[in-house]
Amino acid sequence: MIALSRISALASTAICSASRINLAFSKRLTRTMASSKLTMADRLQGNDKSVWVTFTELARTTGAVNLGQGFPNYPPPDYVCNALTKIGESGNFMLNQYTRGFGHPKLVSNIAKLYGKLHSRDIDPMTEVMVSSGAYESLFCIFQGLVNPGDEVIIIEPFFDCYEPMTKIAGGKPVFIPLRPSPSTSGENSSADWKLDPEELSSKFTSKTKLIILNTPNNPLGKVFTRPELEMIADLCIKHDVACVADEVYEWMTYPGVEHIRIASLPGMWDRTITVSSAGKMFSATGWKLGWSVGPPHLLKSLMAVHQNCVYTCCTPLQEAVADGFELEINRLETNKEQSYMYTLPNVELLPKKNRMAAMLKEAGLVPIIPEGGYFMLADWTKLGITDDQIEDGSDEPKDFKIVKWLTKEKKLATIPCSAFYGPEHKHLAENYIRFCFFKDDKTIEAAGEILKSFK
């Protein structure tokens, strides 16, 4: 009994000691967490949330049919995958090592060859092309390399959501201007109906304006800017000595009757334009995360300064494989355009999916905005017969956020809220719209169609 009592006493002492240690640790941890030196940098405050993180995770945890995130859920073209396989088996060990920091020589040479033809000018692959870790890194390098604290950046709404935080993190001020829908002349709602007001756009240019961001074809709307619209923007850039960032990652995805015009090809614009493109979009391999910027040396040197002190260089075998893909596509575009993936992707692969998605949405009671380019479709959800009480979750989020969460949880259909692509003062313009991605296999689109039928 005495031994047992001693054991019990020792155990009690040990528990008390552990409790004191835990309490002391908790106090130190609290003091550490409260330290002003161990917190997020001021320039990142308010920029730590992402619509993609939130809604991708919601789709995953609910098992919803995912028409939210923009990527195909089936393989890229065989020739780019086979190229990567051959590189791994080639025995050329140097393709496993660092390559040139601003872009693998073979890749930048092919980029210069293709984009030189597209812009009707010679492009120097060593000074006028920079390869990046996706178009996303190109954009980051642009904002970090060109925007000074206090500079204003004009952003056309709806916009790809990273433009705003990247501007702020660089110390710049976002200046928003929305595309506004006008009455349709075609009998159906089209992205072509969404236009800039010339006077409103002109009023956004000031002595502090450094950049304007132009996304064409536009994500999420699918609008392809016309020549007169691009000339209007170009004239203002030249008048106010402003640089243009042309985010053209969906450049190969325009539908019949629509022409993609590159603003850098307009008179006076090459010297003030950086064009951003993406291998992930071009070859439907978003996980490869390779992009590039094309533009004059005096602009690209700023991007290169950021890149070499950040990523430094990109994956060598992936660059080699993309370079091989370029060679094949350049030859096809020159000899037999209809065999090129750049032609078959929008005209053979995506067009039927786009038409099918539009029909499904109309049948369910939504009002789709038919895109001229890209692989997204906005739709007005307000005629679905869903009441505010059904989607109310007690938050102060816009209605489109609430309906997307409700659709994902209750109907197992994941989409993206359109107000995520607007600045704070204009989010109300987008609350009636949600974004659908139709670059999915037939099984996924069919599953989404079955869910939409429940609204009939």
Side-chain angles (χ1 to χ4, degrees), residues 223-235:
K223 176 181 174 62
V224 179
F225 284 74
T226 64
R227 184 176 294 276
E229 289 173 319
L230 295 175
E231 288 173 344
M232 174 179 65
I233 295 170
D235 289 345

Side-chain angles (χ1 to χ4, degrees), residues 367 379-382 399-400 418 427-434:
V367 181
D380 184 336
W381 62 270
T382 57
K399 282 187 179 180
D400 58 327
C418 190
K427 286 189 182 295
H428 66 281
L429 297 176
E431 283 190 299
N432 290 351
Y433 297 98
I434 55 180

Side-chain angles (χ1 to χ4, degrees), residues 1-14:
M1 291 294 293
I2 294 175
L4 185 61
S5 297
R6 288 178 178 173
I7 292 172
S8 178
L10 288 171
S12 297
T13 301

Side-chain angles (χ1 to χ4, degrees), residues 236-372:
L236 288 167
C237 286
I238 294 169
K239 177 181 177 180
H240 295 276
D241 194 24
V242 169
C244 178
V245 179
D247 182 350
E248 299 185 1
V249 297
Y250 300 99
E251 60 195 317
W252 301 105
M253 292 170 237
T254 57
Y255 297 108
V258 179
E259 180 185 8
H260 172 62
I261 300 168
R262 301 165 194 279
I263 194 168
S265 68
L266 299 185
M269 287 305 291
W270 169 260
D271 286 337
R272 63 179 65 253
T273 302
I274 301 171
T275 300
V276 178
S277 299
S278 164
K281 302 299 189 295
M282 184 175 182
F283 296 111
S284 303
T286 60
W288 287 25
K289 289 299 290 180
L290 275 181
W292 51 86
S293 294
V294 175
H298 63 270
L299 289 178
L300 282 205
K301 69 178 182 180
S302 300
L303 280 65
M304 291 175 174
V306 178
H307 176 79
Q308 72 183 9
N309 291 294
C310 177
V311 174
Y312 174 64
T313 190
C314 298
C315 177
T316 305
L318 288 177
Q319 290 192 71
E320 178 79 7
V322 171
D324 289 344
F326 258 89
E327 288 182 355
L328 180 62
E329 286 302 329
I330 289 170
N331 179 63
R332 287 175 172 176
L333 288 168
E334 291 176 347
T335 59
N336 191 342
K337 180 181 177 181
E338 293 186 358
Q339 285 189 347
S340 168
Y341 186 64
M342 306 304 102
Y343 175 84
T344 61
L345 175 59
N347 292 287
V348 178
E349 194 168 339
L350 289 176
L351 183 59
K353 295 179 184 294
K354 183 191 81 162
N355 294 339
R356 187 177 181 188
M357 178 61 67
M360 283 167 33
L361 294 175
K362 289 177 183 177
E363 187 177 359
L366 292 94
V367 181
I369 309 298
I370 308 302
E372 302 160 278

Side-chain angles (χ1 to χ4, degrees), residues 74-92:
Y74 56 92
D78 289 342
Y79 64 88
V80 288
C81 295
N82 292 340
L84 185 58
T85 299
K86 289 178 182 178
I87 289 164
E89 298 172 346
S90 69
N92 183 352

Side-chain angles (χ1 to χ4, degrees), residues 14-283:
I15 291 171
C16 290
S17 297
S19 297
R20 286 194 296 271
I21 291 170
N22 286 336
L23 179 60
F25 177 76
S26 296
K27 288 180 178 179
R28 287 198 299 271
L29 181 61
T30 300
R31 287 196 298 271
T32 299
M33 294 299 289
S35 169
S36 61
K37 291 184 177 180
L38 304 178
T39 58
M40 183 184 294
D42 291 344
R43 65 183 178 277
L44 296 177
Q45 296 292 338
N47 297 302
D48 55 333
K49 294 182 179 180
S50 167
V51 67
W52 311 113
V53 173
T54 299
F55 288 98
T56 300
E57 179 63 13
L58 184 60
R60 185 189 68 80
T61 56
T62 58
V65 175
N66 192 352
L67 299 187
Q69 205 168 3
F71 61 85
N73 62 345
Y74 56 92
D78 289 342
Y79 64 88
V80 288
C81 295
N82 292 340
L84 185 58
T85 299
K86 289 178 182 178
I87 289 164
E89 298 172 346
S90 69
N92 183 352
F93 66 89
M94 287 305 297
L95 291 176
N96 296 296
Q97 308 305 327
Y98 296 134
T99 187
R100 175 176 173 270
F102 303 128
H104 192 47
K106 181 177 176 180
L107 177 56
V108 294
S109 295
N110 286 337
I111 291 173
K113 182 178 181 180
L114 177 58
Y115 283 81
K117 293 178 180 179
L118 296 174
H119 289 91
S120 300
R121 64 180 303 117
D122 290 334
I123 292 178
D124 186 331
M126 297 296 124
T127 62
E128 296 182 318
V129 179
M130 188 193 83
V131 175
S132 55
S133 181
Y136 217 89
E137 194 230 327
S138 273
L139 291 167
F140 180 79
C141 291
I142 288 169
F143 287 104
Q144 289 295 317
L146 293 173
V147 176
N148 289 312
D151 284 347
E152 294 180 352
V153 177
I154 297 174
I155 301 176
I156 300 170
E157 298 166 310
F159 58 86
F160 187 55
D161 68 308
C162 74
Y163 302 162
E164 180 183 3
M166 285 187 181
T167 298
K168 291 180 177 178
I169 291 170
K173 177 187 176 182
V175 176
F176 302 103
I177 177 170
L179 290 160
R180 301 183 186 274
S182 57
S184 174
T185 58
S186 63
E188 66 179 3
N189 296 294
S190 167
S191 60
D193 302 326
W194 293 57
K195 300 176 181 179
L196 291 169
D197 179 273
E199 291 185 7
E200 185 179 14
L201 177 62
S202 180
S203 72
K204 301 298 181 180
F205 283 79
T206 72
S207 60
K208 295 182 179 180
T209 306
K210 186 67 172 286
L211 304 175
I212 182 170
I213 315 301
L214 171 69
N215 180 206
T216 181
N218 175 274
N219 172 18
L221 181 60
K223 176 181 174 62
V224 179
F225 284 74
T226 64
R227 184 176 294 276
E229 289 173 319
L230 295 175
E231 288 173 344
M232 174 179 65
I233 295 170
D235 289 345
L236 288 167
C237 286
I238 294 169
K239 177 181 177 180
H240 295 276
D241 194 24
V242 169
C244 178
V245 179
D247 182 350
E248 299 185 1
V249 297
Y250 300 99
E251 60 195 317
W252 301 105
M253 292 170 237
T254 57
Y255 297 108
V258 179
E259 180 185 8
H260 172 62
I261 300 168
R262 301 165 194 279
I263 194 168
S265 68
L266 299 185
M269 287 305 291
W270 169 260
D271 286 337
R272 63 179 65 253
T273 302
I274 301 171
T275 300
V276 178
S277 299
S278 164
K281 302 299 189 295
M282 184 175 182
F283 296 111

